[in-house]
Amino acid sequence: MKKVGHIAYGRQDQPSLERLAGMLNRSLIGSNEPAVDCVEWELSLDDGSIQCQFPLGSAAADKQRICDKVGRILAEYTLAEHEPSLLRGIFQVRYGLKEPVEIDALIAESVSMLDGEPEIDGSWAGRGRERRTGKLAARFSAYLAENQRLNLQGFLRFRLTEYRAEVLEAADTAIEERLMERQYQEFMSLLRTMAEWQEIRTSAVHVLHGGGNAFRILDEQMRPLESPSPEFGQKEDLEEESRVVSRLLAVSPRQLFIHTPEPESQVIRTIIGIFGNRAALCPDQPTH
């Protein structure tokens, strides 16, 4: 005699449901667990559900193993299938975005934040994804152990509010970072325009960058340029990058020689981005 369980998803999501049924059945291939060997997942197109059958008299431990295994699969399925759709809906409805390429990029950024950033040594941590998979698997498993029917859409919508809130937070952060990047690019464009249209005030300037925030600015005779008092709108504690850029714009050199051991640092890339062909990288420090 068999006991029947159901995982419902809805007829309109048949392709996704077929993928889930495949994941469930593939997980049983080669299993050595006696109870799991008796489990069969069958897709019902009539009501858009997956039916699970296993012996009615199965031991509690065997049933728990089944629930744990299925819970893990449902968690992985949720992250792979449901999460991108959830994010897409957030960007389309909450933020009114329509461009597919932009939405896809934001989805990728959001998932990256949820999964975890690369470690300093370049290895991928992925701890966020494993943590979320574990939490979701535990929720699914506990529910399946007590209920014969699981409506996946309803479960995701009404019982996983904490998970949905985490996804929403990642989406909001991705939007904020994209907005900040756009504002930065617009500001850089303004600074490039200022550099191009300003009158040339000196023939050459040398920027000595010792690494980090260590900067010295010299004229063509390798003499230190005096720093003027802060201009209107500037603060005494202005960040070093902004202070250097502001000073270079003020002296408006025809040629800018940058001596740095860190040509890929953000501040150096910013200076080159503003002054373009007027800036030249010099890997060695000048002798004077």
Side-chain angles (χ1 to χ4, degrees), residues 2 41 44 47 68 94 107 122 135 140 150 157-158 161 175 179 181 199 239 243 266:
K2 301 284 187 177
W41 297 91
S44 172
D47 60 357
D68 290 343
R94 182 180 177 89
I107 290 174
K135 289 178 66 175
F140 283 124
L150 168 65
R157 181 178 295 274
F158 299 111
T161 54
I175 287 289
L179 178 60
E181 175 64 21
E199 179 183 356
E239 292 183 2
R243 191 183 298 276
Q266 181 61 50

Side-chain angles (χ1 to χ4, degrees), residues 183-235:
Q183 291 173 337
Y184 173 78
Q185 293 300 332
E186 291 174 354
F187 184 59
M188 285 288 292
S189 178
L190 174 62
L191 294 179
R192 280 194 294 269
T193 301
M194 289 177 57
E196 290 172 2
W197 287 94
Q198 270 188 324
E199 179 183 356
I200 299 298
R201 297 176 182 174
T202 184
S203 59
V205 164
H206 294 263
V207 175
L208 275 58
H209 179 215
N213 291 327
F215 285 93
R216 293 176 62 202
I217 300 179
L218 311 178
D219 64 16
E220 64 271 22
Q221 302 298 323
M222 306 306 291
R223 296 172 302 192
L225 282 171
E226 295 182 4
S227 297
S229 58
E231 299 176 3
F232 178 77
Q234 288 185 316
K235 297 181 180 179

Side-chain angles (χ1 to χ4, degrees), residues 50-253:
I50 299 174
Q51 296 181 1
C52 160
Q53 295 185 347
F54 55 90
L56 185 63
S58 297
D62 291 335
K63 181 181 178 182
Q64 188 59 55
R65 281 197 297 271
I66 296 172
C67 292
D68 290 343
K69 180 182 283 290
V70 175
R72 179 79 184 188
I73 294 169
L74 289 176
E76 293 172 351
Y77 171 83
T78 298
L79 297 187
E81 294 275 342
H82 176 73
E83 190 166 274
S85 298
L86 176 59
L87 286 164
R88 189 176 302 278
I90 292 172
F91 292 128
Q92 289 176 337
V93 177
R94 182 180 177 89
Y95 291 103
L97 301 181
K98 302 182 183 301
E99 178 56 46
V101 175
E102 181 181 14
I103 293 174
D104 287 344
L106 286 167
I107 290 174
E109 291 173 14
S110 302
V111 172
S112 177
M113 282 186 282
L114 288 165
D115 286 352
E117 298 297 332
E119 298 288 357
I120 296 176
D121 61 1
S123 62
W124 188 263
R127 295 172 184 167
R129 192 173 191 85
E130 180 58 34
R131 175 184 59 80
R132 291 185 297 131
T133 302
K135 289 178 66 175
L136 290 174
R139 294 290 301 276
F140 283 124
S141 177
Y143 185 86
L144 290 169
E146 300 294 332
N147 299 272
Q148 294 185 30
R149 185 176 184 86
L150 168 65
N151 184 301
L152 193 53
Q153 285 182 322
F155 196 88
L156 292 169
R157 181 178 295 274
F158 299 111
R159 292 181 177 268
L160 297 180
T161 54
E162 183 180 340
Y163 162 71
R164 291 173 63 88
E166 186 176 4
V167 173
L168 176 59
E169 183 180 0
D172 289 342
T173 301
I175 287 289
E176 291 173 4
E177 291 185 354
R178 181 61 61 91
L179 178 60
M180 290 175 60
E181 175 64 21
R182 188 170 298 168
Q183 291 173 337
Y184 173 78
Q185 293 300 332
E186 291 174 354
F187 184 59
M188 285 288 292
S189 178
L190 174 62
L191 294 179
R192 280 194 294 269
T193 301
M194 289 177 57
E196 290 172 2
W197 287 94
Q198 270 188 324
E199 179 183 356
I200 299 298
R201 297 176 182 174
T202 184
S203 59
V205 164
H206 294 263
V207 175
L208 275 58
H209 179 215
N213 291 327
F215 285 93
R216 293 176 62 202
I217 300 179
L218 311 178
D219 64 16
E220 64 271 22
Q221 302 298 323
M222 306 306 291
R223 296 172 302 192
L225 282 171
E226 295 182 4
S227 297
S229 58
E231 299 176 3
F232 178 77
Q234 288 185 316
K235 297 181 180 179
E236 291 288 352
D237 59 349
L238 196 62
E239 292 183 2
E240 187 64 19
E241 177 179 336
S242 299
R243 191 183 298 276
V244 170
V245 169
S246 177
R247 186 71 185 105
L248 292 175
L249 287 171
V251 297
S252 187

Side-chain angles (χ1 to χ4, degrees), residues 6-26 41-51 73-74 77 81-82 149-153:
H6 297 266
I7 296 177
Y9 199 77
R11 281 189 290 268
Q12 71 274 22
D13 296 289
Q14 179 181 333
S16 183
L17 198 61
E18 290 174 347
R19 287 191 289 273
L20 175 55
M23 291 174 66
L24 288 165
N25 281 315
R26 282 194 300 273
W41 297 91
E42 183 176 324
L43 177 61
S44 172
L45 299 180
D46 294 333
D47 60 357
S49 68
I50 299 174
Q51 296 181 1
I73 294 169
L74 289 176
Y77 171 83
E81 294 275 342
H82 176 73
R149 185 176 184 86
L150 168 65
N151 184 301
L152 193 53
Q153 285 182 322

